């Protein structure tokens, strides 16, 4: 503690010098900015804020966060910022937005002004509108990312600015956050002073239907699960789920050997009005899933991997971060070229830890990996765009529509990298004759000493060096080959090395079955070449994407068409499956009536291969490394007493 005190004093000294030289206002711990957020109108989708900033007279440019950590994209929701007013010495002063940088506000601070007040509202979209501007409230809950109501001096580093935040909640709402609280009474919370980095890294969830679950009772540091839901029934998680979450914490600790947070808070928002998503933070994660997560086994199967993924990011992504993503503030562009490590290795361990913690059986894990292997293997876009370019272009690809995604490619540095890190894991095991694994790399690269949140940036060279320290191998060539490959086939070497191969049978894949039950209608991606999505009106359903080169593509079908009839009869999922099944014994094409804009046409799909679903099948005579990888590594955690 004493060491921290002195190091902080040193930081303040540097801060005063550096800010002084740039003529920026202070915002030091002695003279912090104050941010007061009022969420009492959150049920009506309006968040109010006042910021009081220490300033100096003269020209001042304040900026609104543009590049959002974890989203890896310039998506600060500036379009939803309204009611912006600046007040100095009780008088409103004029402002002008920068003509080029939409996130910058120019002001002239009057003589004698020591503090400037900014007032603003954030208009939270009520529903997802297709862009990456996510809704942040419903009538019964809200997610507060402080960046939606934030201004800070242009050019300042977020580590060097201190904010004291306070929050007012709707009557009776509870809340959860990793941000340390100074004091609170009747829905009014004052938080401890925090750097802008920590503040923006510490979102809050709040709601009328809320519960807390202690995931490490009696232990330090504390791990809490906070759940806000649109209704009370959704809060009912069972003892087995609590046990798996406690096992998850034990497994992550066993994997990394040290942590880089003071406490950890899983924030879980259960609502059908936010798109399912998650954002990682050092000391918390913001997890959003459908309301019925704990009540519908198919929804749970679809989304339970989210928490292990986001928690893993506390080490891989937040603590160890690619240099290009370790930016000094939220205006500096982020470089995504190493996202196949940041997101890709997290995707791998998210899956592995979902199995190690008991949420998935080894069979479920294999079914999930089979879906990924089949998906990646089926992307013709790999022939023109390599994996690295999907990472470099992350800021474009997160918001792309599904139509055309197999040719354009999507954020494939998640799924394709899972296969690459599986292969790396099997190579380390092979080269070290079973003594080492990728787990040893994680312990070395992401573990070390227990620390508070801290960023240790790394380059591609650092990654190669660290892998070589675990197992000598030409990692530079291995990784370069994988990220620059134009396929066309997916990197399936890890499957083969671990004793498994990708096969297709007419038995439905377990994960796809849950996906169909929870999200859409029929997955015929590996037979006809499309999935049938949500109904559009009483008779038609949307075909979001048609895979180039597939039978449906060859028959002239295209993304965004509406499916109306199968072999002349009004379409149903059962009818489509039956038609695919029967076409196996016939030479007649399957006739699909579809609507393209205002026109209708019957497409004759010449396909006779029957239903095809991906699975993993053991390779005879090969050791099953995959099951070893997903075995529980920590001591089993006891079931909670109910
Ligand atoms: Zn992630």
């Amino acid at each position: 503690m004493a060491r921290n005190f002195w190091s902080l004093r040193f930081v303040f000294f540097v801060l005063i010098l550096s800010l002084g030289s740039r003529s920026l206002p202070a915002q030091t711990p002695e003279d912090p900015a104050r941010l007061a957020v009022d969420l009492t109108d959150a049920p009506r989708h309006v968040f109010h804020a006042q910021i009081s900033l220490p300033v100096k007279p003269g020209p001042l440019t304040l900026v609104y966060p543009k590049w959002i950590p974890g989203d890896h994209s310039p998506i600060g929701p500036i379009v939803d910022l309204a009611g912006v007013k600046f007040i100095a010495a009780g008088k409103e002063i004029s402002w002008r937005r920068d003509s080029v940088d939409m996130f910058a506000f120019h002001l002239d601070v009057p003589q004698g002004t020591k503090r400037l007040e900014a007032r603003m509202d954030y208009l939270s979209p009520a529903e997802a509108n297709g862009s990456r501007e996510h809704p942040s409230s419903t009538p019964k809950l809200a997610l507060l990312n402080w960046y939606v109501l934030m201004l800070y001096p242009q050019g300042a580093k977020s580590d060097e600015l201190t904010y004291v935040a306070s929050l007012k909640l709707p009557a009776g709402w509870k809340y959860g956050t990793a941000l340390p609280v100074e004091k609170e009474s009747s829905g009014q919370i004052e938080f401890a002073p925090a750097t802008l980095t920590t503040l923006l890294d510490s979102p809050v969830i709040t709601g009328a239907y809320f519960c807390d679950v202690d995931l490490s009772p009696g232990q330090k540091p504390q791990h809490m699960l906070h759940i806000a839901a649109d209704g009370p029934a959704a809060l009912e998680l069972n003892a087995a789920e609590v046990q798996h979450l406690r096992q998850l914490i034990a497994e992550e600790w066993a994997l990394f050997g040290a942590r880089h947070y003071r406490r950890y808070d899983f924030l879980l928002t259960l609502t059908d009005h936010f798109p399912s998503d998650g954002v990682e933070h050092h000391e918390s994660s913001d997890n959003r899933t459908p309301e019925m997560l704990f009540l519908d086994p198919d929804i749970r199967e679809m989304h339970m991997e989210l928490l292990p993924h986001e928690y893993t990011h506390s080490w891989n992504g937040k603590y160890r971060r690619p240099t290009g993503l370790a930016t000094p503030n939220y205006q500096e562009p982020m470089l995504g070229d190493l996202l196949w490590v940041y997101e890709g290795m997290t995707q791998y361990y998210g899956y592995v830890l979902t199995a190690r913690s008991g949420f998935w059986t080894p069979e479920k894990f294999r079914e999930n990996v089979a879906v990924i292997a089949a998906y990646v293997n089926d992307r013709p876009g790999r022939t023109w765009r390599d994996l690295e370019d999907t990472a470099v272009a992350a800021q474009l690809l997160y918001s792309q529509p599904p139509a055309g995604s197999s040719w354009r490619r999507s954020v494939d540095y998640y799924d394709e990298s899972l296969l690459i890190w599986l292969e790396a894991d099997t190579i380390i095991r092979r080269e070290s004759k079973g003594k080492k694994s990728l787990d040893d790399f994680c312990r070395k690269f992401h573990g070390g000493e227990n620390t508070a949140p801290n960023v240790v940036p790394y380059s591609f060279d650092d990654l190669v060096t660290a892998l070589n320290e675990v197992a000598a191998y030409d990692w530079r060539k291995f990784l370069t080959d994988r990220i620059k490959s134009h396929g066309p086939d997916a990197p399936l070497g890890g499957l083969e090395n671990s004793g498994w191969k990708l096969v297709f049978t007419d038995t439905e894949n377990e994960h796809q079955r849950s996906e169909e039950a929870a999200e859409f209608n029929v997955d015929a991606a590996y037979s006809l070449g499309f999935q049938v999505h949500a109904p559009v009106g009483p008779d038609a359903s949307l075909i979001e994407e048609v895979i180039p080169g597939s039978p449906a593509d060859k028959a002239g079908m295209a993304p965004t068409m509406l499916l109306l009839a199968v072999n002349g009869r009004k379409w149903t999922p059962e009818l489509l499956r039956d038609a695919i099944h029967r076409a196996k014994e016939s030479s007649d094409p399957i006739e699909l009536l579809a609507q393209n804009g205002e026109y209708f046409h019957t497409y004759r799909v010449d396909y006779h291969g029957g239903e095809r679903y991906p699975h993993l099948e053991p390779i005879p005579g090969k050791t099953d490394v995959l099951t070893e990888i997903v075995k529980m590594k920590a001591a089993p955690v006891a079931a909670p007493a109910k």
Side-chain angles (χ1 to χ4, degrees):
M1 271 215 229
R3 199 179 53 180
N4 282 349
F5 174 71
W6 283 107
S7 66
L8 278 176
R9 293 221 2 207
F10 177 71
V11 168
F12 299 159
F13 178 67
V14 173
L15 170 72
I16 288 157
L17 282 183
S18 59
L19 290 185
S21 66
R22 289 201 301 268
S23 298
L24 289 171
Q27 292 194 224
T28 59
E30 291 79 17
D31 193 13
R34 295 186 181 276
L35 165 65
V37 173
D38 178 352
L39 290 184
T40 51
D41 279 332
R44 298 196 294 155
H45 312 296
V46 184
F47 300 3
H48 310 287
Q50 282 189 26
I51 305 180
S52 164
L53 293 160
V55 290
K56 293 174 182 168
L60 172 67
T61 301
L62 296 174
V63 288
Y64 184 81
K66 178 177 183 181
W67 286 83
I68 305 305
D71 285 314
H72 322 305
S73 304
I75 56 153
I78 186 78
V79 70
D80 296 316
L81 189 68
V84 179
K85 288 189 174 184
F86 295 98
I87 294 137
K91 284 194 185 139
E92 193 173 333
I93 61 170
S94 61
W95 56 271
R96 189 175 193 283
R97 189 189 302 265
D98 190 88
S99 299
V100 175
D101 179 359
M102 296 291 110
F103 294 75
F105 298 85
H106 300 300
L107 308 156
D108 196 7
V109 178
Q111 286 303 317
T113 308
K114 289 203 169 124
R115 290 192 86 89
L116 177 75
E117 189 188 312
R119 293 179 195 167
M120 66 194 86
D121 291 335
Y122 166 64
L123 309 177
S124 168
E127 298 286 342
N129 55 12
S131 75
R132 293 203 73 207
E133 274 170 46
H134 291 160
S136 303
S137 70
T138 75
K140 294 295 177 189
L141 58 82
L143 160 66
L144 173 63
N145 271 300
W146 300 97
Y147 64 74
V148 304
L149 289 161
M150 177 53 65
L151 290 171
Y152 68 98
Q154 188 176 48
K157 294 179 178 171
S158 58
D159 282 346
E160 297 177 350
L161 301 177
T162 302
Y163 280 75
V164 176
S166 64
L167 180 58
K168 190 174 177 193
L169 301 178
W173 285 28
K174 294 183 178 143
Y175 74 98
T177 178
L179 193 63
V181 173
E182 195 104 310
K183 59 184 180 199
E184 64 177 290
S185 65
S186 54
Q188 179 82 40
I189 306 130
E190 186 161 321
F191 295 97
T195 63
L196 183 57
T197 308
T198 300
L199 182 63
L200 264 58
D201 194 46
S202 310
V204 181
I205 60 166
T206 174
Y209 303 110
F210 200 93
C211 76
D212 295 319
V213 183
D214 192 343
L215 297 179
S216 52
Q219 291 172 25
K220 291 276 174 197
Q222 191 180 54
H223 297 77
M224 293 291 286
L225 168 65
H226 308 279
I227 311 174
D230 269 337
L235 300 173
E236 302 283 324
L237 70 170
N238 63 37
E241 281 150 347
V242 175
Q243 185 184 6
H244 296 329
L245 286 167
R246 289 181 180 169
Q247 190 68 39
L248 170 66
I249 290 160
E251 293 297 336
E252 299 260 5
W253 277 61
L255 174 61
F256 295 111
R259 42 90 187 149
H260 309 288
Y261 49 78
R262 297 166 292 180
R263 54 177 281 173
Y264 194 88
D265 295 87
F266 292 92
L267 312 179
L268 177 58
T269 314
L270 301 179
T271 173
D272 296 338
H273 300 285
F274 295 1
S276 297
D277 201 358
V279 180
E280 62 277 15
H281 300 284
H282 278 285
E283 302 186 290
S284 62
S285 50
D286 151 18
N287 306 277
R288 311 163 208 165
T289 77
E291 186 177 348
M292 293 297 125
L293 179 73
F294 295 116
L295 300 176
D296 181 324
D298 292 313
I299 291 178
R300 187 173 51 218
E301 159 65 20
M302 290 297 303
H303 297 280
M304 216 53 236
E305 172 268 337
L306 180 64
L307 271 64
H309 177 105
E310 302 303 346
Y311 184 34
T312 300
H313 269 316
S314 179
W315 291 266
N316 186 44
K318 302 311 288 188
Y319 172 59
R320 294 310 308 264
R321 198 177 309 169
T323 312
L325 292 171
T327 49
N329 58 39
Y330 310 100
Q331 314 311 119
E332 196 83 18
M334 292 178 181
L335 310 179
D337 53 342
L338 287 177
L339 278 169
W340 52 272
V341 192
Y342 181 125
E343 292 295 358
M345 192 185 291
T346 303
Q347 187 79 345
Y348 177 59
Y349 273 109
Y351 273 52
V352 167
L353 289 159
T354 302
R356 284 185 190 170
S357 57
F359 282 112
W360 285 344
T361 60
E363 294 74 25
K364 255 304 169 48
F365 172 80
R366 286 198 297 273
E367 289 284 82
N368 275 273
V369 172
V371 166
I372 283 193
Y375 164 84
V376 176
N377 210 33
D378 214 30
R379 298 296 101 172
R382 301 180 80 255
T383 58
W384 75 269
R385 181 174 224 164
D386 63 27
L387 183 69
E388 187 179 44
D389 186 62
T390 67
V392 169
Q395 57 178 298
L396 304 177
L397 293 177
Y398 275 113
S399 54
Q400 62 137 19
S405 59
S406 21
W407 183 229
R408 182 194 300 111
R409 298 199 76 173
S410 183
V411 286
D412 290 352
Y413 50 85
Y414 287 84
D415 287 347
E416 187 162 327
S417 307
L418 178 148
L419 301 173
I420 294 170
W421 289 112
L422 169 63
E423 190 174 4
D425 197 351
T426 60
I427 290 170
I428 295 172
R429 286 165 195 264
R430 186 187 67 207
E431 296 296 307
S432 67
K433 307 213 171 356
K435 290 197 192 74
K436 299 257 177 80
S437 71
L438 193 63
D439 291 9
D440 294 277
F441 165 82
C442 288
R443 210 177 171 85
K444 196 175 174 54
F445 198 69
H446 302 95
E449 298 287 313
N450 290 333
T451 67
N454 184 20
V455 182
V456 181
Y458 64 86
S459 64
F460 179 73
D461 287 349
D462 297 333
L463 181 71
V464 168
T465 304
L467 282 163
N468 264 311
E469 284 167 9
V470 177
Y473 189 72
D474 194 348
W475 292 109
R476 183 177 302 280
K477 178 173 176 356
F478 169 80
L479 294 171
T480 306
D481 285 353
R482 295 299 173 280
I483 63 172
K484 306 267 189 208
S485 165
H486 283 288
D489 298 329
L492 299 181
L495 284 182
E496 197 187 332
N497 294 350
S498 61
W500 296 84
K501 66 177 174 193
L502 176 65
V503 297
F504 291 86
T505 74
D506 58 6
T507 305
E508 197 162 12
N509 175 294
E510 272 301 299
H511 180 78
Q512 282 176 302
R513 195 199 52 69
S514 288
E515 206 174 18
E516 286 186 354
E519 294 193 352
F520 55 92
N521 271 311
V522 178
D523 191 345
Y526 307 106
S527 52
L528 302 181
F530 59 79
Q531 298 168 331
V532 191
H533 279 256
V536 179
D539 300 320
S541 288
L542 177 67
I543 293 173
E544 283 190 345
E545 168 65 338
V546 173
I547 298 167
S550 66
D553 176 54
K554 287 177 183 157
M557 295 185 74
T560 72
M561 284 183 178
L562 302 179
L563 180 62
L564 294 160
V566 178
N567 291 333
R569 190 173 181 185
K570 180 183 162 184
W571 110 272
T572 64
E574 297 72 28
L575 192 63
L576 181 61
R577 281 189 216 286
D578 186 59
I580 296 170
H581 182 70
R582 284 177 191 280
K584 247 179 125 171
E585 310 299 329
S586 157
S587 56
D588 294 337
I590 301 168
E591 294 189 343
L592 300 178
L593 173 64
Q595 183 179 350
N596 185 12
E598 288 147 20
Y599 289 85
F600 298 81
H601 184 78
T602 296
Y603 297 89
R604 296 165 63 82
V605 185
D606 196 13
Y607 173 75
H608 307 281
E611 290 186 82
R612 287 179 87 237
Y613 302 103
H615 303 279
L616 299 188
E617 197 176 270
I619 302 172
K622 278 221 158 198
T623 309
D624 175 9
V625 180
L626 211 49
T627 304
E628 178 58 34
I629 288 172
V630 299
K631 260 190 199 148
M632 198 180 272
K633 301 292 188 274
V637 170
K642 261 276 171 186

